[in-house]
Amino acid sequence: MFKVNNLTAYIENKKILDEFSLDINDGEIHAIMGKNGIGKSTLCKIILNDPHYEVKRGSILYNGKDILGKPTYEIAKEGIMLISQNPISIEGVTNMEVLRTALREKSSENINIFKFNKEMEDACKKLELDPKFIHKEVNVGASGGERKKVELLHAAILKPSMLILDEIDSGLDVDAIKVVANFINDYHKETGCSILIVTHHKQLLDYIKPNYVHILSGGKIVKTGDYHLAEEIESSGFRSNIIDEDGKSE
Amino acid sequence: MDKKVVNLIDNDESLEYVLNDNEMLIINIFNNSFKSVDIKTTQNNNSYVVINFSGFARSDTTININGNVLGNNNHYILNFRAIALENHGTVNAKVSVNENTKDNEVVEDLKGILEDGTLNFMPILEIDTSEVKAEHYATIGHYPLEELFYLQTKGISKEEAIKILKKSFLFNLFDKEFLKQINYGKEQDE
C-alpha cells in the first residue's frame, strides 16, 4: 500500500503541497488531474525525493516503510518508478548500460543475458519501438513519443510494483497513446502493480481505466470520484462548479 | 585525404605536428592522470586536425595546446574533457589563424567537472582574418543534478550513477577502437 499523509512541500519558499494526503491500495489505479502549475509533477518528484523540493511536514509510506527523504535509488529499489513528463537525454550512456547497472544493483545474482535480451526485444515489440533503441544513448535524438516508450521499456525490465506516470500522454499521437496504454494495461494485469497517473486529458483514462480520479487544487485533493469525474472535467473544465475559486470542492 | 590517427594513453610527452595539403590528423589522448605537456599543430592548406583529449586532473598540471593555421581551407577541432579529482589543472588552448587566409574553421570545446580539484580553462582565439569561422566554448561545473536524479530513479546508487556519468563524459569523444585500448569500462566492472 502507498500512503501519503499530510504532506506539505515547498520550492523556493513557495508552498506547493499543503497537507496533501492520498492512499493507493495494491493494484489500484489512481489518476490526479488539475490545472497547470498546481503541483501534480511536484508531487511525483517529491515521492522520489527530488532534491529541488523541501518537505516540511508529512510522511510517505510504501508497503509499511517510511520512504520520505530516503535516497532516490532506495525508493526506486522499493519498487516505485517515475516516468516523468519530459524524460531527459544522457549523451554517452546507453539504455543497455542503465538497465544492466540497475539490475546489477537490484540483485546480487548474475544477469541472465538471454532472458534479459528476450525481455527487451519482447517489450520493444509491444511498444512498437525499434529494438535499436536498446543500444542507443538514453533518449538522445528521440522524439517525445519515443522517450515515453523507452521509459516503459525500462519499466518492463526493472519491473516496478508501482508506476508513477507524469503526463505520459503528452507528446503522443493518437496511435502512440493506444500502444502505450495497451502496454501499461498489460503490465498492470501481469504484475498487479499500483499506478498513479497524472494527466490533463480524459483521453488517456479512456484507455487506462482508473479506480479513482482526484482533483488537485490549492496543494491538496479537493475532490475524488470515479472515471466520470474525468468526464466532468473534460466537458466543464476546472473552472466549473466542481471546485470553487479557492480550490475547494463544492 | 591522407589520414593519420594517433592514439595515446597516459601520454607524458609533448607533441608537434605539421600538416600539409590534404592531410588529416586525429589525436586521441586519454590520461588517467594529466601530465604537463605541450601539443602543437601547424596547418598549411586543406588539412584537418581533430584533437580529442580527456582524463583526470590529480596533480597540479598545465597543458598547452596550440594550433597554428597558416593557410586556407583548414579545419581545427579541439575537444577537451577533464575531471578534477584533486589539486589544480590549467589548460591553455590557443588557436591562431593567420591574416590573409580564408575558408578556415576552428572550434575549441573545453568541458570540465570538479570533484575535489579545480580547473582553469583558457580558450584563446587569435584571429587575424575576417574570413574564418571560429567558435570556442568552455564550461566547468559538477555532475548534472538532473542526470544524477534520473539514474537514481532507476535504482542506481549515486556512486554508480557518478561512475556512469564519468565514463560517458570522458569517453564519448572516442571511437570504439580507442575505447578498446583504454579498457576503462572493464576495469570499472572488475
Side-chain angles (χ1 to χ4, degrees), chain B residues 147-164:
Chain B
E147 294 181 9
L148 277 176
F149 178 70
Y150 175 88
L151 291 171
Q152 289 180 87
T153 64
K154 309 293 175 188
I156 296 172
S157 66
K158 189 174 177 185
E159 195 186 29
E160 282 298 318
I162 285 175
K163 269 190 201 171
I164 289 174

Side-chain angles (χ1 to χ4, degrees), chain A residues 42-209:
Chain A
T42 300
L43 169 67
C44 299
K45 288 177 185 170
I46 285 173
I47 294 169
L48 269 296
N49 194 17
D50 185 320
H52 290 98
Y53 302 96
E54 188 189 357
V55 175
K56 291 212 171 160
R57 272 191 304 279
S59 64
I60 305 177
L61 300 171
Y62 187 55
N63 294 333
K65 285 185 192 169
D66 187 358
I67 58 164
L68 181 64
K70 285 209 170 213
T72 300
Y73 74 92
E74 284 187 21
I75 298 166
K77 276 184 178 174
E78 290 296 335
I80 299 177
M81 177 182 264
L82 166 65
I83 298 184
S84 70
Q85 193 177 342
N86 299 305
I88 63 161
S89 58
I90 309 184
E91 280 186 18
V93 179
T94 64
N95 290 301
M96 178 69 104
E97 189 176 8
V98 168
L99 292 172
R100 282 178 67 172
T101 309
L103 286 177
R104 215 169 44 205
E105 291 233 352
K106 201 173 169 185
S107 163
S108 53
E109 286 174 25
N110 284 336
I111 298 165
N112 180 331
I113 297 293
F114 178 77
K115 192 177 159 216
F116 176 69
N117 288 340
K118 176 86 171 58
E119 281 180 350
M120 294 267 256
E121 282 164 19
D122 288 350
C124 283
K125 204 173 174 183
K126 276 189 196 171
L127 287 162
E128 297 181 9
L129 183 70
D130 188 335
K132 283 180 186 159
F133 272 89
I134 296 166
H135 299 283
K136 280 188 180 177
E137 294 166 296
V138 176
N139 294 327
V140 173
S143 68
E146 285 167 340
R147 285 175 190 231
K148 303 292 170 71
K149 289 182 178 182
V150 165
E151 295 302 308
L152 287 170
L153 169 66
H154 290 187
I157 302 303
L158 300 175
K159 300 186 174 50
S161 51
M162 178 169 174
L163 272 173
I164 301 174
L165 308 172
D166 184 8
E167 292 192 34
I168 195 151
D169 46 344
S170 70
L172 296 183
D173 62 40
V174 184
D175 295 330
I177 285 182
K178 282 183 195 167
V179 171
V180 160
N182 285 340
F183 182 89
I184 294 165
N185 281 330
D186 287 350
Y187 184 79
H188 179 250
K189 207 180 285 177
E190 283 164 23
T191 64
C193 69
S194 310
I195 302 179
L196 176 61
I197 298 172
V198 165
T199 185
H200 282 290
H201 308 291
K202 183 182 77 70
Q203 191 188 11
L204 180 68
L205 307 182
D206 289 338
Y207 298 114
I208 306 171
K209 284 281 185 302

